Amino acid sequence: MRELHETDPRTIGPYTVLGRLGSGGMGEVYLAEARGGLRLAVKVVRSEHAEDRTFRARFRHEVRAAQSVGGAGTYTARVVDADTGAVRPWMATEFVEGPNLRDAVLDGGPLPGDAVRLLAAALGEALAAIHAKGLVHRDLKPSNILLAADGPRVIDFGIVRALEGTALTRTGVVVGSVGYVSSEQIRNGAHVGPACDVFSLGAVLAYAAGGREPFGEGQDSVVLLRILTGDVDLSAVPERDLPLVESCLRDDPGARPTPADVVAAAGHTARSLREGLRAGWYATDAPAAPGAPDGDERWMPEQGSRERESRVEYVAPMTAADLPTVVETSPRPPSRRRLLGLLGGGAGVVAAGGLGGWLLLDSSDGTVRVTAGPTPSAASGTPRVGWQYKVQGLGGKRGPCAALSPDGKRLYVGGTDGSLHAVGLDGLNVWQTGLGGEVMPPLATADGVYCLLFDGQEGASKLCALSHAGKVRWTKPLAAANSQFPVASGRLVLVSYGESSNAGGVRAYAPDGSVRWSTSTGAAPTSEPMVADGVVYVGTFGDEVRALDAANGKRLWTAQAGPDTGRPTRVADALVVGSGGEQTLHGLGLTGARRWQKSDNQLGGGRYLTWVAFGGLAVTASDYQLVALRPADGSTAWTLQLAGEGIQYSDPTVSGGTVYLRKGSMLYGVNRRGRQTWQQRAEGGAAIGTQSPVVHGNRIYVATADGITALALKKS
């Protein structure tokens, strides 16, 4: 703890400030005390973030979510209090007595083997608790892990996400600490999933066991390059710990272990972990280095073990205009020399103040792997593996995994490789059109194919229209901070827009690219619009649902819901929608009248929940279950626990009498009574996003780690 500056506050909310604990990209951290003597670590947001409405909205949501994590056995620092409406918002977490992991290793060297495995198991439990609430840490690193006498505590989970999409980072960011970000974070910007945390965990364990950062030191761009090319130095990691560390650092997110797998690999159960975490559990017996000074001077391990001085996040500004045109026809991955050449030749951008750079990756893959599927099950409707189509990962985070041409004979797939792909029913490429940016889920109509280009955070920078032959018909620049796919309304194409949460609306484009209508919604939409029976429904950051006439955009009605109201779904004669706040689920009539609202402690996700109408019920998925609600009163009709591996899951899709979804690499079919009718593994690894499967005839297409897998539904 350091002394207070003259400009530091003496009180924060009801708490008395005792001293400074540190600072970072989010703000300053103070040690404070409640009236009853409870000590807290209080983080106060920087003024530049506090003035950004988008940041405030996200900070409010993330704090609420973070408050649901913590408690005994979670190994996370509990969020005790917060004021997201203050002039400078703040949040208070329980104060953990003990050093952070970075300082412990700097002072005493690598942790003993037993301590490393205790640390691995406890961090696995912490990540499991965080992911179970729909959160991703995004910045797991040694300085965000505090070593208490009864075990480690993870801090700052979920909060770094609030920085994304603010005025400081809106042009495109990677949020995380250099040396601890995953390869997909570098490739996809802010597109992260739970597997990213596991990669960071692997780097943390390598540091704890070996005493130095596994990807070394140097310029940020060089360290990021090492991550992308798998140039990792684990020579200091003891042999016993190598398998676990190496598995966490796999380049394929779907091939990494889950947090539960990490706990098991560390050789612990919840009980043995509690018994092992006693006072002195992480103590090192490392002898002092020759010539090391006594007293308060720190022992410094060999060069390369220092964490980045940027402390809280790595931010790499980049816009699509910054990228040179690169055309590659070979599916061969880029060489290390080519990547270095691009960095030195203008393809990289280095931010001011020494913060970061961007690596331009080879933009061509499009390879197809046709494999013989396993013997299909005799059960009616059981799918078999047909083929896989790779695009270096699907663009965006949500929406349908692909679009089908009106005749069902062609599949359109958007990739992080910057191209829109047309794929035949045999899984072979028909055409591929480069669009200069990550292509999010496309929409196919009789007039052509439409798609949005990812803006690097959570929305879109451009709307593109192509012919069914792959020729670009027109493009429109678009500031759509929270929109990832276009929506059809007859021959019109609808998109939500808004550069920030302050203002935005819905816009309708005609097939020729002209604007048929554009209607302001006040505060910006939180997601894509939904169209049903000639009415457009959209949730906004103004905490309301708006209904518009699909023909002309005229406002029909407005209804209050909850903070940061999500995307509504029509089910029978009602609308079901999620939001932030204490009451996270809402039911509205088709004229906006409130029917019910309720809190939910199981689903999580708030406005991010995607509902589908299925058998007169509203159905949604989480990382471990499928839930069906009655739209009339919000009561639960049924739940189905999903036993598949991993926690990545898809939004559900309905076709006939079956709802389909993916959990991990497993595809499930569930009937109207909530009973699982079949399951089948989809080759290709688990996708990070929640892109929903697409069903047509006797085929189902599902998102995988690097593209699309087609499964053939056996006819009954």
Side-chain angles (χ1 to χ4, degrees), residues 140-322:
L140 188 68
K141 58 183 178 180
S143 62
N144 274 344
I145 300 165
L146 304 179
L147 304 183
D150 59 347
R153 298 289 190 279
V154 174
I155 63 174
D156 280 356
F157 44 88
I159 302 303
V160 170
R161 182 182 181 277
L163 284 170
E164 297 178 4
T166 65
L168 295 181
T169 63
R170 195 170 286 125
T171 56
V173 298
V174 175
V175 176
S177 294
V178 176
Y180 294 89
V181 294
S182 66
S183 53
E184 63 268 24
Q185 278 174 279
I186 302 170
R187 295 187 184 104
N188 301 339
H191 187 163
V192 303
C196 294
D197 285 345
V198 176
F199 185 98
S200 301
L201 173 58
V204 165
L205 295 177
Y207 177 77
R212 61 190 184 208
E213 293 181 28
F215 297 100
E217 63 173 4
Q219 294 183 354
D220 291 347
S221 58
V222 174
V223 176
L224 293 173
L225 176 60
R226 292 184 187 131
I227 295 174
L228 283 175
T229 58
D231 186 6
V232 59
D233 179 11
L234 300 179
S235 59
V237 177
E239 185 174 351
R240 180 177 175 183
D241 300 321
L242 268 177
L244 175 57
V245 172
E246 289 175 337
S247 66
C248 292
L249 294 177
R250 288 170 181 157
D251 185 69
D252 180 3
R256 296 173 199 152
T258 66
D261 293 334
V262 171
V263 177
H268 281 288
T269 63
R271 179 177 180 179
S272 69
L273 185 56
R274 288 194 303 271
E275 293 173 350
L277 291 171
R278 302 177 183 275
W281 67 271
Y282 64 87
T284 63
D285 297 318
D294 296 326
D296 294 333
E297 293 292 324
R298 281 183 171 174
W299 172 83
M300 297 294 291
E302 61 183 290
Q303 194 174 27
S305 65
R306 292 174 294 150
E307 186 178 324
R308 276 293 168 272
E309 294 300 323
S310 51
R311 298 281 302 200
V312 172
E313 64 276 334
Y314 166 72
V315 182
M318 172 61 74
T319 65
D322 294 320

Side-chain angles (χ1 to χ4, degrees), residues 328-355:
E328 291 284 341
T329 58
S330 169
R332 178 172 46 86
S335 66
R336 179 182 178 90
R337 177 176 296 178
R338 178 172 183 269
L339 283 170
L340 286 170
L342 287 170
L343 283 171
V349 173
V350 179
L355 283 180

Side-chain angles (χ1 to χ4, degrees), residues 1 12-22 28-44 77-82 90-97 146 155:
M1 184 178 71
I12 302 173
Y15 309 115
T16 301
V17 177
L18 304 179
R20 293 174 61 91
L21 292 175
E28 290 78 31
V29 186
Y30 300 95
L31 177 64
E33 189 175 75
R35 291 188 180 92
L38 176 67
R39 290 196 167 190
L40 303 169
V42 183
K43 176 166 286 188
V44 181
R78 185 169 54 94
V79 177
V80 176
D81 197 3
W90 55 266
M91 70 170 186
T93 61
E94 59 182 329
F95 177 68
V96 178
E97 189 70 49
L146 304 179
I155 63 174

Side-chain angles (χ1 to χ4, degrees), residues 591-644:
T591 58
R594 175 174 292 171
R595 292 188 175 179
W596 54 267
Q597 61 180 359
K598 60 184 289 189
S599 60
D600 183 90
N601 296 322
Q602 292 183 319
L603 286 173
R607 72 177 174 92
Y608 299 100
L609 290 174
T610 296
W611 300 87
V612 295
F614 181 51
L617 302 174
V619 177
T620 193
S622 73
D623 57 353
Y624 69 97
Q625 65 179 346
L626 195 66
V627 177
L629 301 183
R630 298 180 181 90
D633 57 11
S635 61
T636 301
W638 50 260
T639 61
L640 176 66
Q641 303 294 312
L642 301 174

Side-chain angles (χ1 to χ4, degrees), residues 61-62 84 126 234 251 280 318 401 437 439 443 474 528 561 574 617 638 669 672 675 711:
H61 179 272
E62 296 300 321
T84 59
L234 300 179
D251 185 69
M318 172 61 74
C401 68
V439 181
L443 166 71
W474 49 263
E528 300 76 22
L617 302 174
W638 50 260
R672 290 189 175 96
R675 296 180 181 176
L711 302 174

